[in-house]
Amino acid sequence: MKAPLEIRPASRAGLGYARHGHGPVPMLVLHDWLGDHSNYQALLPWLDGQAFTHVFADLRGYGLSMALPGEFTVKEIAADCLALADRLGWRRFHVLGHSMTGMVTQRLAADAPSRIASAIAVCPVSAAGNRLGPEALAFFASTADDDALRRLFKFVGGGLPDEWVEEKLRHHREAVAPACRRHYLDMLVTADFADEVRGLETPFLVVVGDKDPGLDAEAMKHTFLAWHPNAELRVVPDCGHYPMQQHPSYFAGVVEGFLKRQAALP
């Protein structure tokens, strides 16, 4: 990611992160299974750093936290996020999770409802997990191989060019510790805490791309929208699994419009 950013590598105190802006409204931003905080680089020019403070955290095994060992569970991620918020002096904050960390927004809302002002789940896997059959699970596990990972990026990219796929592949190899990948995949396919999140009153914005296979608007109707009484859905047109990279200005407008309403900002 490019300036203006404050970069803080992981330490004994906890997760590493990149900080953008100095506004009064704090927002924690989490990444997906295949990338780190740099997933949001294209978003930076479109963010309102006067209204918001965005902290892009790297989970254990990723980017600035690559060397941190862990159990690599959704409970651990949520605990790490709350510990980071404590370090930052945030009593109450907003959270955004993408894909794998969509379920983390729900875990946080369940574990610390008084601290989560609102949540944004982007192309999210839900608290019910992503139940994969044997063949699909074998394919996701095989993405340790470059050709398989290329096919996955191409599949979820919604028509993005080969150059984008190659850049995603290159960055993944640099930013994700191989040892953590299978643990987080196991988390994705085995997690199931849906009963704990049904009825949570936390305001939720759910954002999906209209070309994202599987994690589409229909899937959200049976999970986030069914479980959260204060959830709303936005569909990004002509978009696959990475709206923050495919349509950054549009995505920033959707996200910050929701946040400004939640924070009662003009």
Side-chain angles (χ1 to χ4, degrees), residues 53-125:
T53 297
H54 299 89
V55 167
F56 301 87
D58 281 337
L59 307 186
R60 295 170 186 257
Y62 292 85
L64 297 167
S65 305
M66 185 180 288
L68 283 185
E71 298 178 358
F72 310 113
T73 65
V74 67
K75 275 282 193 181
E76 180 181 68
I77 297 171
D80 283 343
C81 289
L82 292 172
L84 176 56
D86 289 342
R87 287 163 55 200
L88 295 166
W90 292 356
R91 184 187 65 82
R92 188 166 165 83
F93 59 97
H94 305 265
V95 61
L96 182 151
H98 174 222
S99 193
M100 174 178 79
T101 55
M103 69 166 62
V104 179
T105 66
Q106 294 176 296
R107 185 72 269 169
L108 284 164
D111 290 349
S114 65
R115 301 193 64 179
I116 305 304
S118 75
I120 301 170
V122 183
C123 307
V125 177

Side-chain angles (χ1 to χ4, degrees), residues 40-242:
Y40 297 94
Q41 179 172 331
L43 203 60
L44 294 183
W46 308 103
L47 297 179
D48 184 348
Q50 301 296 318
F52 302 100
T53 297
H54 299 89
V55 167
F56 301 87
D58 281 337
L59 307 186
R60 295 170 186 257
Y62 292 85
L64 297 167
S65 305
M66 185 180 288
L68 283 185
E71 298 178 358
F72 310 113
T73 65
V74 67
K75 275 282 193 181
E76 180 181 68
I77 297 171
D80 283 343
C81 289
L82 292 172
L84 176 56
D86 289 342
R87 287 163 55 200
L88 295 166
W90 292 356
R91 184 187 65 82
R92 188 166 165 83
F93 59 97
H94 305 265
V95 61
L96 182 151
H98 174 222
S99 193
M100 174 178 79
T101 55
M103 69 166 62
V104 179
T105 66
Q106 294 176 296
R107 185 72 269 169
L108 284 164
D111 290 349
S114 65
R115 301 193 64 179
I116 305 304
S118 75
I120 301 170
V122 183
C123 307
V125 177
S126 78
N130 190 6
R131 296 293 179 264
L132 299 175
E135 290 186 5
L137 180 58
F139 172 72
F140 276 85
S142 76
T143 55
D145 172 76
D146 283 358
D147 285 341
L149 188 53
R150 282 189 183 95
R151 292 197 300 274
L152 179 57
F153 279 132
K154 193 72 174 176
F155 180 64
V156 302
L160 285 170
D162 291 342
E163 290 80 5
W164 178 84
V165 171
E166 291 302 317
E167 175 58 23
K168 291 291 287 184
L169 174 65
R170 181 197 64 77
H171 186 73
H172 172 81
R173 295 305 181 210
E174 292 179 353
V176 183
C180 79
R181 296 176 81 259
R182 182 58 195 242
H183 293 294
Y184 283 123
L185 178 58
D186 290 342
M187 177 192 78
L188 281 169
V189 301
T190 62
D192 187 358
F193 55 98
D195 288 344
E196 298 179 57
V197 306
R198 287 188 174 93
L200 286 176
E201 295 184 356
T202 305
F204 265 84
L205 172 66
V206 184
V207 182
V208 297
D210 65 349
K211 294 183 178 180
D212 189 358
L215 297 173
D216 56 10
E218 187 62 28
M220 299 305 118
K221 292 176 183 177
H222 301 288
T223 54
F224 284 83
L225 299 181
W227 302 337
H228 300 295
N230 296 319
E232 58 187 87
L233 176 70
R234 287 292 296 270
V235 179
V236 182
D238 191 29
C239 187
H241 195 60
Y242 288 91

